Amino acid sequence: MAEHLKTARSEDDRAQDDAKVRKLVEATLADIEARGDAAVRELSARFDKYEADDFRLSQDQINSLMGELSAREKADIEFAQDQIRGFAEAQRASMKDIEVETLPGVVLGHRNIPVQSAGCYVPGGKFPLIASAHMSVLTANVAGVPRIVACTPPVGGKPHPAVITAMHMAGAHEIYLLGGIQAVGAMAIGTDSIRPVDMLVGPGNAFVAEAKRQLFGRVGIDLFAGPTETMVIADETVDAEMCATDLLGQAEHGPDSPAVMLTTSRKLAEETLREIDRLLEILPTPHARTSWAEYGEVIVCDDHDEMLNYANDIAGEHVQVMTDRDDWYLENMHSYGALFLGPRTNVSNGDKVIGTNHTLPTKKAGRYTGGLWVGKFLKTHSYQKILTDEAATLIGAYGSRLSMMEGFVGHAEQCNVRVRRYGGINVPYGEAAPYRDAAE
């Protein structure tokens, strides 16, 4: 039976936090809907200490901000975007439009069509998440979205040059200096100055994630992407420094970022706890200590099967696997955001540069969805054609009888009018089409 060497806050405490967030977000979105730009301006001034008559950046402003970066910094952004673009293009190429003739004269197909507008949120309240611009804006661009809106909060009262540069290089058509609930609310609901979008994507804090949840239905969303989660699955093949570094590397995102270690080695677990204490004394980012104290967990399991069951139940966002059977976890895990297999890679590679998308499901959403990818921006729409009178008569007769089984006379008549017109069969109004032969 598994042993918990360190536990996190209780589910009841977390549920109370969630309820407070829900209430605040609901009131804020209602205010944006009622007062539009006026509400957005007040929220920006209150939470981001930023005021502007127009939150949209002009091309001159964008060019000026891009000019603040060195050639080396731009090259680093370009390298990361090349990796992300390459993988997104490979994913897009895997999605094929199809058309098949399922019966003589019956043609069915589907087309993958991009959403017509997407709102991409790039967080920046605690850290300027440059990489989130690649993950959302660039992926939408590869998908062929014709209008891409990007929002990011000010950092220190002004735009962050690297974030704006990444947004522009990734292909954003409109860039707004807006953060938090006011950003996603304005993009989804629309105001006098911001046309609404069809879909919201991107990670964010608990308030941004809850706003997306409440706006779902009015617009599409990518997934529930709240505060960062990380999980390390390790055995005695790795050491405590590696495990502790990987846990704290994601815990520094914010004070509410869960970090969970699963291991078959009690010795490794105890050494990792001591190494975390040591690293917390020298790690300069402030949130890791709070996050680890409130949301850190260390669980010692009897064997790999028990670790697998725990991992699938937790359904963590980032799952770092460092064991003697990494590919076994790849084959057997079914609920997670993304896997990072082996000690040579790590979650930060995925966050920043390697090419897979870092906008991933949290709060157990990995049970029913994967992360953001090019396919999230595409809608698969089916179509049908009937090319011959014989096919129209055959399908229409079946449709007529099946509709009458369900009591849908109007449905049956849609089929019957084709049977009469293209088959020359006089079906009485409101009756099922006759069987054509014994086989039917």
Side-chain angles (χ1 to χ4, degrees), residues 28-330:
T28 304
L29 292 176
D31 190 31
I32 292 171
E33 180 141 34
R35 299 194 299 122
D37 284 327
V40 169
R41 282 193 293 270
E42 288 178 15
L43 291 163
S44 178
R46 186 191 316 164
F47 293 109
D48 290 332
K49 306 297 185 288
Y50 181 77
E51 299 182 57
D53 292 329
D54 188 355
F55 290 97
R56 182 174 178 178
L57 298 183
S58 68
Q59 189 59 53
D60 286 344
Q61 289 174 301
I62 293 168
N63 292 341
S64 177
L65 290 162
M66 292 179 68
E68 295 183 30
L69 267 63
S70 68
R72 181 66 265 176
E73 288 170 327
K74 290 178 183 175
D76 285 347
I77 291 173
E78 184 176 14
F79 178 85
Q81 292 196 351
D82 284 346
Q83 312 318 305
I84 292 147
R85 181 183 295 105
F87 190 59
E89 287 175 346
Q91 290 179 312
R92 179 64 184 91
S94 74
M95 301 181 68
K96 304 292 186 182
D97 293 353
I98 64 169
E99 184 172 283
V100 294
E101 189 170 14
T102 56
L103 291 168
V106 176
V107 176
L108 309 180
H110 75 227
R111 296 183 61 222
N112 295 297
I113 301 172
V115 297
Q116 293 303 287
S117 58
C120 302
Y121 185 70
V122 177
K126 300 181 183 74
F127 303 96
L129 294 188
I130 301 163
S132 288
H134 322 325
M135 305 298 175
S136 56
V137 176
L138 181 56
T139 308
N141 198 341
V142 171
V145 177
R147 177 178 172 240
I148 303 171
V149 179
C151 282
T152 192
V155 177
K158 60 183 180 179
H160 191 281
V163 174
I164 303 304
T165 298
M167 286 176 161
H168 181 73
M169 290 172 61
H173 302 114
E174 303 168 26
I175 299 176
Y176 295 86
L177 199 61
L178 271 178
I181 305 170
Q182 60 269 28
V184 293
M187 287 192 288
I189 296 167
T191 70
D192 288 342
S193 63
I194 303 175
R195 283 192 295 131
V197 298
D198 297 322
M199 183 178 188
L200 289 173
V201 303
N205 61 21
F207 297 96
V208 168
E210 175 61 20
K212 286 171 61 181
R213 189 191 70 80
Q214 292 189 21
L215 289 163
F216 177 61
R218 179 190 289 262
V219 295
I221 64 171
D222 48 357
L223 57 135
F224 194 92
T228 293
E229 304 167 352
T230 198
M231 178 191 298
V232 170
I233 300 175
D235 60 18
E236 61 280 353
T237 60
V238 290
D239 58 40
E241 181 188 25
M242 189 83 78
C243 295
T245 300
D246 286 341
L247 288 164
L248 295 183
Q250 294 300 303
E252 74 175 352
H253 264 281
D256 52 357
S257 294
V260 179
M261 180 181 183
L262 301 176
T263 182
T264 51
S265 169
R266 184 185 179 89
K267 178 175 180 289
L268 177 62
E270 292 174 344
E271 289 175 350
T272 299
L273 284 168
R274 289 194 291 270
E275 181 67 7
I276 286 172
D277 289 340
R278 185 186 74 83
L279 291 176
L280 285 173
E281 294 300 318
I282 58 176
L283 186 65
T285 43
H287 298 299
R289 180 179 294 278
T290 302
S291 183
W292 178 249
E294 295 288 327
Y295 294 92
E297 294 184 68
V298 176
I299 305 171
V300 180
C301 298
D302 289 340
D303 52 32
H304 285 278
D305 287 326
E306 188 171 46
M307 282 209 294
L308 176 69
N309 290 335
Y310 264 96
N312 278 324
D313 181 63
I314 293 169
E317 179 189 15
H318 305 101
V319 181
Q320 175 84 42
V321 183
M322 297 181 289
T323 68
D324 63 3
R325 61 196 72 188
D326 299 340
D327 285 342
W328 181 81
Y329 282 92
L330 175 62

